[in-house]
Amino acid sequence: MNELQAKTKVRLETNTFMNHNFMELEFLEPDHAIFKLEIREESRNTFGMVHGGALYSLADNATGCAAHTDGRNYVTQGSSFNFLRNQPSGTIYADAKVRHRGGTTCLIDVNITGEGGKLLATGTFTYFCVDRSKIEAKAGK
């Protein structure tokens, strides 16, 4: 395990939302992250398909992880996300790649794929670089 992967592993252990929703880091390199979600009962909506919030959260976690590969701290500033199709079971993947990294923002593209590599959703996320100590102070840490 390299230094980037080790630091990311430690940071993700504290991401209780991600862990509670069974999202896992599958691959990591600079400016690129892949997350996976094995669809469970808790991942589904009332129609038995993957909940749209699960798809979006998987994308947000993957894009956030790709942003963080430069060692700075980020929060989601905005996104555009398109739901294309869905599936009821199996494993889905969020593949996130940095398109542009600036001084204060980072733009990342993400594709969510399912069985057979079918595209389920796609989006673009913008992240804002923040001072971690100020964010933690607001959260009361």
Side-chain angles (χ1 to χ4, degrees):
M1 182 179 305
N2 65 36
E3 183 180 350
L4 174 61
Q5 292 167 332
K7 285 182 178 181
T8 301
K9 182 178 185 277
V10 169
R11 186 174 51 77
L12 292 180
E13 286 172 354
T14 64
N15 187 334
T16 54
F17 180 84
M18 180 195 81
N19 295 321
H20 177 77
N21 289 285
F22 311 105
M23 297 172 191
E24 300 176 46
L25 176 64
E26 181 79 3
F27 173 82
L28 182 69
E29 66 182 9
D31 295 341
H32 186 197
I34 299 174
F35 271 66
K36 77 173 183 177
L37 172 65
E38 292 181 25
I39 300 169
R40 303 164 59 111
E41 188 61 34
E42 300 91 343
S43 310
R44 295 186 187 102
N45 62 23
T46 57
F47 299 108
M49 304 298 272
V50 178
H51 193 285
L55 292 166
Y56 184 89
S57 293
L58 187 65
D60 190 40
N61 277 284
T63 55
C65 196
H68 281 86
T69 61
D70 70 350
R72 297 188 297 168
N73 296 292
Y74 292 89
V75 294
T76 308
Q77 183 176 22
S79 66
S80 172
F81 198 67
N82 298 288
F83 300 96
L84 305 173
R85 64 172 47 94
N86 211 323
Q87 70 182 48
S89 62
T91 304
I92 58 175
Y93 297 90
D95 189 342
K97 295 179 183 173
V98 173
R99 184 192 313 171
H100 171 77
R101 190 181 292 282
T104 57
T105 62
C106 187
L107 182 66
I108 303 166
D109 294 322
V110 63
N111 288 320
I112 307 283
T113 55
E115 298 299 316
K118 288 184 180 176
L119 188 62
L120 304 179
T122 187
T124 303
F125 283 66
T126 304
Y127 284 83
F128 186 72
C129 188
V130 297
D131 180 334
R132 184 177 188 96
S133 63
K134 288 181 181 178
I135 298 295
E136 287 176 343
K138 285 182 181 180
K141 288 188 174 185

